[in-house]
Structures are given as structure tokens and as C-alpha cells.
Amino acid sequence: MPDPTPIHVRFPNGKEESVPSGILAGDALRHWDPSSHAAALAALWNGVPVDLATPLLTDGALAPLTFEDRAGRDILQHSSAHLVAKALVESVPEARPTHGPPTDDGFYYDFDVRPLTPADLDSVRTAMDRSIEAREPFVRRELSRTEAQKLFSQNPHKLRYISEVPEGEGVSVYDTGSFTDLCRGPHVPTTGWLRGVHILGFSAINPEDSSAPALQRIRGVGFPTRALLDTYLKMRTEAEARDHRMLGTKLELFTFIDEAPGFPIWLPNGMIVVHELEKFVREHLQAAGYSEIRTPLLFAQSVYETSGHWEHYREDMFLTEVEGRTFGWKPMNCPGSMLIFRSRARSYRELPMRLAEFAPLHRLEASGTLHGLTRVREFVQDDAHIFVTEEQVEPEIRVLLDWIQRAFATFRLEWSCELSTRPAKFLGEKETWDRAEATLERVLKGSGVKYRVSPGEGGFYAPKIDIHIRDSLGRPWQTGTIQLDYQMPIRFGLAYQGPDGQLHTPIVVHRTILGTWERFFGVLLEHVGGRLPPWLAPLQVRVIPVTDRHAPAALGLVEELRAQGLRADTVGTEDSLSKRVRNAEVSRLPYIVVLGDKEVADGTVALRARGTKESRSLSRPEFLAYVAGRVKAREFDP
Ligand SMILES: [Zn+2]
Ligand SMILES: [Zn+2]
């Protein structure tokens, strides 16, 4: 029964309205702006995603969540997972659903069921279409623990989830037609929203507890319309041809093995690229006044208690016991840099102090989320911590934005910034956060870069600017980040002596620009379709002799190129000339050089640069200068 006392609801444009208490979130949004309501699949109520059917009972802030928002996208993916579970249970009634989360590129649902067959998927698709046609609503119900246990008495997986719900907290379920699933929600209003759902496939999944039976995973992706799905499917075909995992194997750059899931194995060719990227970044560090450090990969638990990682990040860390003490593999470089700053008394004259570290970091990503180089458990960042005074924050961040602009231009990557503000769970005072957020926004505005604000998405210790790049298929990727931190220096008791002779706490800027070598390289590889710019290419020049007669000249040229610091090789003459040229093209080499009678006699080379059909004749000194010049300038094209 609606309470006659009105409540006050604030909307994104700052408009505040008085509405009857108990009004549904969806109705309040429609009332505020009928057009934005049409795109809303859920709502953000005081920063928390909720169903559109949620009654509003207090004053608060309300915003629509659409498929364009990350949270809205996740809700649609997860609702699609419910639909898959409903459809599978309809066709295979003994299937026990376990869980069905959204992922970076869609969703999955794991089932405790006999091995599935393609025919099962056909029935699932038919049942899904039926439900979508009927626009079945997702209806939330709150149950007591006992009621929930009774409802799911035949499903040990759901019983385990129920037992994990904290004491005193209610258990919620969602009904979709005749199907009921244990879930916190929220969901899209009806299955009519899932018109663009698509099943990608199924596979057996080994559970973490190896004695338990394998689960069957159905993977899919959801869109609010058929048209968006069709666009996606087209793009996916293109993306498959550029998949960095496929290119990594083909070009012998990196690999993975089952015995080290999520831990990249860099092959010699891949290491060349990593070293070139490091060199590129180190040149900037040197010019911008950074120092490089190296701190331990493992720290005792107490260090993470100080940094706050123990409280907020422990579940994502690899832990290890040594001589009765617990050590954690560092998931971030921050603690080491803090300890170095604290290692002796510091003066304001040493600030800004810029400490860079390229150490391997470890994060316990769930095995189901691992994906080639873009989601891994071990990685290296182009990481640095900058210790500054309040006045130095703005100029430092301005320099960083400038470096970002130059760095991404080198790779011809499109990029934009996202300012993420205070999350629900945060360290420190609200006022400090406000000040930090205001500073970041001022610098972003001043620098004229493209950015948008993501309320509530900041890290637990600091607001941040995330850097997103778009690859050549238009897909967004998060790479670098700039975080302004007032908390960790206090937690570590950092201080410097100011010009006033007093001790002050520095502010720390945590920043990575390219992000992790792994993800950046994976995205770059797909962006260029394996055609790395000459400066990054593991092999830059292949010299091909027409016959055995020309082999000594070819070897001589290779030696000359190597003496100039270029990466070159030659091949024997077992295969036909055209086959050797084709092989070099398939390997996406930037420069192919052919040496025959004419070239050896004239002291010239016939050069084929990647992307050109014709070869051109250059004298050997011209050729050497040309290639060395392109590589040194880090030109994007050969
Ligand atoms: Zn759900
Ligand atoms: Zn850090």
C-alpha cells in the first residue's frame, strides 16, 4: 500500500522531483523523461543497480541504466544466462543450474548435467525463442533461508550458494515463467529485451575441486536488438581472422600451457616485442625524470595490511606460506614504492619523486575469465608512482596526458579517458575524495582530451582516470590508468620535510600508460592484424637470394643490417623463389629483399616493403639508411 508521504528523487540532469513513496523505479524514470525510459533496462538507485520494478521508498538519486552502460550491459548478459537456464531445464529437466555470470564478452551458464549435444542446443534455442516471443517478466521474490533451501532442495550447488549468504541477509529468487533461479538481480524487465541473444557454444568445464564431476558450460552473448546482434556477428568473423591467440601461435610470439593457466609463456619473437616496448617507455621515463626501481615480488601479509590490499583485495591475490608466515605475491607495485620512499627522511626538494617499476605482478583471475593475453594471471605494467605536493598534482597529470597522446599516436590507436569517482566501499574522508576528483576533472577539461565520467567506479583508495583504446574493429579496451591517492601515503606513514621545516604527507599518483605489456600487445596485435610496425617486428628484413650463387651476397647484407642493430635473416634456396617470397609475406615481415645477378653486380637490392605490390631498386647504402631511418623514427608503416 503506497505511503501518502511523497519522496524526493534526484535525476541525472540535476532535476529533483517529488513523487509518491512506493513508486516503481521504471515509472519514476518514465515520468522524468519518457524517451530515456525507453532505453532503460534497469536503474541506478543511489548508485546501486536495481530492477525497474523496484519500489522507491526513500529520498535518493535515480538514473537509467541502458545497454550503453557497463552495468546495464552486464545485466542484459546475465538475464540472457537466466533465459538459457530456463530453456535448458525445459528440454533437459534433470539439469541442475549452478551459476551464470556476465563476462567481458558475453555470458555463460554452468550446469551439472550429462554431457550436452548439439541437439540439446537446438532445443535450447527453440525454447528461448518461445520465451522471448511471450515476453515473460523477471519477477523478484524475497524468501527466508528455510524457504529457499526447500525450493532448491534438489540442487546442491544452489544450496551451497544459499549457505554462503551472510546470516541475517534475505535470499532473493527470480521467476521467469515457470522457471525460478536463485539470484541477487537485477534483471531486464522481460525476456522481450533478449531478442538479440545468441548461443556461441558449449564445453565441459573442470570444477576447481577435481573430485567433483565436470560441469557443462553454455556460452553466449546478448544484445537488446537483432540488428545489434547481426553487426556483432559480422565483426566477430573479422575479429576471428585477427585473434591475437591465433596470431601469437602463427608468428611464434607467445603460448600458454594447461599446467600454467593464465601465465603467458613468451617465445623469443615475443620477447623482442616486449623489449622494444620497454625501450620505448624507458626513453620517455629518462626524459621525464623518472628513476627505475625493483622491489620484491613477495611481501609478508603485514605490508598488505598497511596498504589496504589485505582488506580489499586479498581474494584476488596468490598467497604462500613460508616458515609459518603468510606472504602474498604482489598484485600491484604500490607497496614496494611506498617502502622505498619511507626508507629514509625525505625533503620537499626531492619532489616530485617519480619511481618506475616493471615487475611481474600476479592476480588470481578466475579460470573462466582468462582470455589469451588480454586477461592473464601474471603480467608486467609500465607502472610508476609519483610522490608530489598538492601544487605539483596538476602539472604532473598534464605531463602524463601529454605522454599518453604521444604514445598512442605512435601506435595509431584511438583513445579516450574515463574519470571514475568514489565507489561505495572506499578509504579516507569524503572531502579529500571530492578535492581529488575536482583536480582530475580540471586537468582533463584543460587538456581538451575526450573523456566521460563513471560515477562510483573508482578504486577503493583513489579516484582515477582510466584510459581506453579502441582497436581497428572499434572494440574498447582499458589499458592505462592514472590514480590520485591521498590514502596510501597516510597508511604507510610517509612524510617529507617542507620548506617550513614541518613534516607533510605526500600525495601519490599511481599511473600506467600502456597498461600491461600483455594486454597492450594482445590488443595491438589484433589492431594491426599481425602486421607489427617495423620497429616492433621480431624480424624486420628477410634477404632472399635468387639462387645459391647469390647466397654469399645475401649473407653479407644480413651482416650489414645486423651491424646497424636491425633484425635480419636469409633463407636457403631449397624452395622456389616465389614460394620463399610468399612465406615471407605470410609471416607479415616489413621488408623483403631479393638479390639476383643484376643486384649483386650493381650493388643494389630489390626491396618489397609490406603493403606494396611492386618492388623497387635501391643502392645498398640507400636501402640501409631507409630501413634504419624508419625503424629509428618508429614509423607505423614500413
Ligand atoms: Zn540473475
Ligand atoms: Zn600503485
Side-chain angles (χ1 to χ4, degrees), residues 78 82 174 183 185 187:
H78 169 67
H82 272 249
Y174 278 81
C183 189
H187 297 98

Side-chain angles (χ1 to χ4, degrees), residues 130-149:
R130 211 161 42 225
S131 173
I132 291 168
E133 217 36 61
R135 299 177 186 224
E136 294 175 299
F138 283 86
V139 182
R140 184 186 176 93
R141 279 190 289 145
E142 308 281 344
L143 301 183
S144 73
R145 193 172 295 256
T146 327
E147 285 168 326
Q149 280 162 343

Side-chain angles (χ1 to χ4, degrees), residues 66-297:
T66 71
F67 188 68
E68 296 300 311
D69 302 299
R70 173 70 207 226
R73 196 192 145 281
D74 282 352
I75 289 168
L76 191 130
Q77 302 306 327
H78 169 67
S79 302
S80 307
H82 272 249
L83 180 60
V84 166
K86 173 185 186 330
L88 185 69
V89 169
E90 278 172 16
S91 33
V92 187
E94 72 277 16
R96 291 171 175 149
T98 70
H99 76 150
T103 61
D104 280 353
D105 45 14
F107 67 86
Y108 65 83
Y109 210 122
D110 287 346
F111 300 93
D112 184 352
V113 64
R114 63 161 167 78
L116 295 175
T117 66
D120 291 326
L121 284 203
D122 287 343
S123 331
V124 164
R125 287 191 182 101
T126 311
M128 282 167 58
D129 286 344
R130 211 161 42 225
S131 173
I132 291 168
E133 217 36 61
R135 299 177 186 224
E136 294 175 299
F138 283 86
V139 182
R140 184 186 176 93
R141 279 190 289 145
E142 308 281 344
L143 301 183
S144 73
R145 193 172 295 256
T146 327
E147 285 168 326
Q149 280 162 343
K150 207 167 129 205
L151 186 59
F152 293 102
S153 60
Q154 299 306 309
N155 187 331
H157 305 278
K158 298 288 180 190
L159 289 175
R160 184 161 54 82
Y161 298 141
I162 294 170
S163 73
E164 285 165 2
V165 175
E167 206 55 57
E169 235 172 71
V171 179
S172 59
V173 297
Y174 278 81
D175 298 323
T176 320
S178 55
F179 174 72
T180 302
D181 204 352
L182 178 76
C183 189
R184 277 194 209 95
H187 297 98
V188 295
T190 74
T191 54
W193 271 88
L194 307 176
R195 289 225 149 66
V197 67
H198 179 74
I199 291 184
L200 294 165
F202 65 97
S203 54
I205 290 295
N206 290 320
E208 278 154 40
D209 171 6
S210 53
S211 64
L215 299 173
Q216 300 288 310
R217 170 169 298 180
I218 299 183
R219 286 176 299 107
V221 63
F223 294 91
T225 64
R226 252 343 279 191
L228 282 174
L229 171 64
D230 290 342
T231 309
Y232 163 83
L233 291 175
K234 248 194 236 118
M235 211 169 82
R236 205 170 73 103
T237 314
E238 174 64 15
E240 267 165 12
R242 295 169 172 254
D243 189 320
H244 74 274
R245 295 168 300 178
M246 178 272 290
L247 289 170
T249 308
K250 198 160 154 184
L251 306 177
E252 294 190 52
L253 296 162
F254 54 85
T255 186
F256 288 90
I257 56 170
D258 286 346
E259 290 77 7
F263 297 84
I265 296 174
W266 288 99
L267 302 173
N269 282 344
M271 270 325 278
I272 292 173
V273 182
V274 169
H275 282 149
E276 288 292 347
L277 287 172
E278 281 182 358
K279 207 159 94 192
F280 173 63
V281 170
R282 281 198 172 101
E283 279 171 24
H284 163 75
L285 295 182
Q286 200 266 335
Y290 285 78
S291 314
E292 197 172 325
I293 55 169
R294 175 57 74 87
T295 67
L297 300 190

Side-chain angles (χ1 to χ4, degrees), residues 393-471:
V393 169
E394 284 204 42
E396 272 309 309
I397 292 180
R398 222 172 287 129
V399 170
L400 283 174
L401 287 175
D402 179 55
W403 163 230
I404 293 168
Q405 254 152 332
R406 282 187 291 130
F408 290 130
T410 305
F411 301 101
R412 295 215 191 143
L413 283 160
E414 230 190 278
W415 64 285
S416 64
C417 288
E418 182 177 2
L419 173 60
S420 300
T421 58
R422 193 176 59 241
K425 215 163 120 185
F426 67 96
L427 294 179
E429 304 298 319
K430 193 176 159 299
E431 293 68 38
T432 322
W433 275 82
D434 290 345
R435 207 161 63 233
E437 287 171 8
T439 306
L440 291 180
E441 186 142 26
R442 205 161 49 240
V443 184
L444 281 170
K445 275 215 179 84
S447 68
V449 303
K450 261 207 288 186
Y451 77 97
R452 67 189 201 99
V453 180
S454 262
E457 293 288 315
F460 65 84
Y461 55 90
K464 57 178 181 169
I465 296 174
D466 284 333
I467 299 146
H468 297 269
I469 54 178
R470 277 187 184 275
D471 64 20

